[in-house]
Coordinates of all heavy atoms in Angstrom, one line a residue:
L1 N -68.2 -29.1 -62.6 CA -68.8 -29.3 -63.9 C -68.0 -30.4 -64.7 O -68.5 -31.3 -65.3 CB -68.8 -28.0 -64.7 CG -69.8 -27.9 -65.8 CD1 -71.3 -28.1 -65.3 CD2 -69.7 -26.5 -66.5
A2 N -66.7 -30.3 -64.6 CA -65.8 -31.2 -65.3 C -65.9 -32.6 -64.7 O -65.9 -33.6 -65.4 CB -64.4 -30.7 -65.2
D3 N -66.1 -32.7 -63.4 CA -66.3 -34.0 -62.7 C -67.6 -34.6 -63.1 O -67.6 -35.8 -63.4 CB -66.2 -33.8 -61.2 CG -64.8 -33.4 -60.7 OD1 -63.9 -33.7 -61.4 OD2 -64.7 -32.9 -59.5
R4 N -68.6 -33.8 -63.2 CA -69.9 -34.4 -63.6 C -69.8 -34.9 -65.1 O -70.5 -35.9 -65.4 CB -71.0 -33.3 -63.5 CG -71.3 -33.0 -62.0 CD -72.3 -31.8 -61.9 NE -73.5 -32.0 -62.7 CZ -74.2 -31.0 -63.2 NH1 -73.9 -29.8 -63.0 NH2 -75.3 -31.3 -63.9
Y5 N -69.1 -34.2 -65.9 CA -68.9 -34.7 -67.3 C -68.2 -36.0 -67.3 O -68.6 -36.9 -68.0 CB -68.2 -33.6 -68.1 CG -67.9 -34.0 -69.6 CD1 -68.9 -33.9 -70.5 CD2 -66.7 -34.6 -69.9 CE1 -68.7 -34.3 -71.8 CE2 -66.5 -35.0 -71.2 CZ -67.4 -34.9 -72.2 OH -67.2 -35.2 -73.5
R6 N -67.1 -36.1 -66.6 CA -66.4 -37.3 -66.6 C -67.2 -38.5 -66.0 O -67.0 -39.6 -66.3 CB -65.1 -37.1 -65.8 CG -64.0 -36.5 -66.5 CD -62.6 -36.6 -65.8 NE -62.7 -35.8 -64.5 CZ -62.4 -34.5 -64.3 NH1 -62.0 -33.8 -65.4 NH2 -62.4 -34.0 -63.1
N7 N -68.1 -38.2 -65.1 CA -68.9 -39.2 -64.4 C -70.1 -39.7 -65.3 O -70.8 -40.6 -64.9 CB -69.4 -38.7 -63.1 CG -68.3 -38.6 -62.0 OD1 -67.2 -39.2 -62.1 ND2 -68.5 -37.7 -61.0
G8 N -70.3 -39.0 -66.4 CA -71.3 -39.4 -67.3 C -72.7 -38.8 -67.0 O -73.7 -39.1 -67.6
E9 N -72.8 -37.7 -66.2 CA -74.0 -37.1 -65.7 C -74.7 -36.4 -66.9 O -75.9 -36.2 -66.9 CB -73.8 -36.2 -64.6 CG -73.4 -36.9 -63.3 CD -73.4 -36.0 -62.1 OE1 -74.2 -35.1 -62.0 OE2 -72.6 -36.3 -61.2
F10 N -73.9 -36.0 -67.9 CA -74.6 -35.3 -69.0 C -75.1 -36.2 -70.1 O -75.9 -35.7 -71.0 CB -73.5 -34.3 -69.7 CG -73.0 -33.2 -68.7 CD1 -71.7 -32.7 -68.9 CD2 -73.8 -32.8 -67.7 CE1 -71.3 -31.7 -68.0 CE2 -73.3 -31.8 -66.8 CZ -72.1 -31.2 -67.0
S11 N -74.7 -37.4 -70.1 CA -75.1 -38.4 -71.1 C -76.1 -39.5 -70.6 O -76.8 -40.1 -71.4 CB -74.0 -39.0 -71.8 OG -73.1 -39.6 -70.8
S12 N -76.1 -39.6 -69.3 CA -77.0 -40.7 -68.7 C -77.6 -40.2 -67.4 O -76.9 -39.9 -66.4 CB -76.2 -42.0 -68.4 OG -76.9 -42.9 -67.7
K13 N -78.9 -40.2 -67.3 CA -79.6 -39.8 -66.1 C -79.3 -40.7 -65.0 O -79.3 -40.3 -63.8 CB -81.1 -39.8 -66.4 CG -82.0 -39.2 -65.3 CD -83.4 -39.2 -65.6 CE -84.2 -38.6 -64.5 NZ -85.7 -38.5 -64.8
D14 N -79.0 -42.0 -65.2 CA -78.7 -42.9 -64.1 C -77.4 -42.6 -63.4 O -77.2 -43.1 -62.3 CB -78.7 -44.3 -64.7 CG -80.0 -44.8 -65.2 OD1 -81.1 -44.2 -64.7 OD2 -80.1 -45.7 -66.0
S15 N -76.6 -41.8 -64.1 CA -75.3 -41.4 -63.5 C -75.4 -40.3 -62.4 O -74.4 -39.9 -61.8 CB -74.3 -41.1 -64.5 OG -74.1 -42.2 -65.4
I16 N -76.6 -39.6 -62.4 CA -76.8 -38.5 -61.5 C -77.2 -39.0 -60.2 O -78.1 -39.7 -60.0 CB -77.8 -37.6 -62.1 CG1 -77.4 -37.1 -63.5 CG2 -78.0 -36.4 -61.2 CD1 -78.5 -36.4 -64.2
H17 N -76.5 -38.5 -59.1 CA -76.8 -38.9 -57.8 C -77.2 -37.7 -57.0 O -76.4 -36.7 -56.7 CB -75.6 -39.5 -57.1 CG -75.1 -40.8 -57.8 ND1 -75.9 -41.9 -57.9 CD2 -74.0 -40.9 -58.5 CE1 -75.2 -42.8 -58.6 NE2 -74.1 -42.2 -59.0
L18 N -78.5 -37.6 -56.6 CA -79.0 -36.5 -55.8 C -78.5 -36.5 -54.3 O -78.5 -37.5 -53.7 CB -80.5 -36.5 -55.7 CG -81.2 -36.2 -57.0 CD1 -82.8 -36.3 -56.9 CD2 -80.9 -34.8 -57.5
I19 N -78.0 -35.4 -53.9 CA -77.4 -35.3 -52.5 C -78.4 -34.4 -51.7 O -78.1 -34.2 -50.5 CB -76.0 -34.8 -52.5 CG1 -76.0 -33.3 -53.1 CG2 -75.1 -35.7 -53.2 CD1 -74.6 -32.6 -52.9
D20 N -79.4 -33.8 -52.3 CA -80.3 -32.9 -51.5 C -81.1 -33.7 -50.5 O -81.5 -34.8 -50.7 CB -81.3 -32.2 -52.5 CG -80.6 -31.4 -53.5 OD1 -79.4 -31.1 -53.3 OD2 -81.1 -31.1 -54.6
T21 N -81.3 -33.0 -49.3 CA -82.0 -33.7 -48.3 C -83.1 -32.8 -47.7 O -84.0 -33.3 -47.1 CB -81.1 -34.0 -47.1 OG1 -80.4 -32.8 -46.7 CG2 -80.0 -35.1 -47.5
T22 N -83.1 -31.5 -47.9 CA -84.0 -30.5 -47.4 C -85.2 -30.5 -48.3 O -85.0 -30.1 -49.5 CB -83.4 -29.1 -47.2 OG1 -82.2 -29.2 -46.4 CG2 -84.4 -28.2 -46.5
K23 N -86.4 -30.8 -47.8 CA -87.6 -30.8 -48.7 C -88.3 -29.4 -48.7 O -88.3 -28.7 -47.7 CB -88.6 -31.8 -48.1 CG -88.2 -33.2 -48.2 CD -89.3 -34.2 -47.7 CE -88.9 -35.6 -47.9 NZ -90.0 -36.6 -47.4
Y24 N -88.7 -29.1 -49.9 CA -89.5 -27.9 -50.1 C -90.7 -28.2 -51.0 O -90.6 -29.2 -51.8 CB -88.7 -26.8 -50.8 CG -87.6 -26.2 -50.0 CD1 -86.3 -26.7 -49.9 CD2 -87.9 -25.0 -49.2 CE1 -85.3 -26.1 -49.1 CE2 -86.9 -24.5 -48.4 CZ -85.6 -25.0 -48.3 OH -84.7 -24.5 -47.6

């Protein structure tokens, strides 16, 4: 959670990187 905050994931959608690979 702290890492995501520092990376800007809470303030910019472009900072979020999806790592999911399994489709449902």
Side-chain angles (χ1 to χ4, degrees):
L1 205 59
D3 291 341
R4 289 173 56 206
Y5 177 81
R6 280 192 296 271
N7 293 337
E9 291 186 35
F10 297 153
S11 54
S12 173
K13 185 177 182 179
D14 294 336
S15 299
I16 302 171
H17 302 291
L18 290 176
I19 59 171
D20 299 339
T21 56
T22 307
K23 292 183 179 182
Y24 288 91

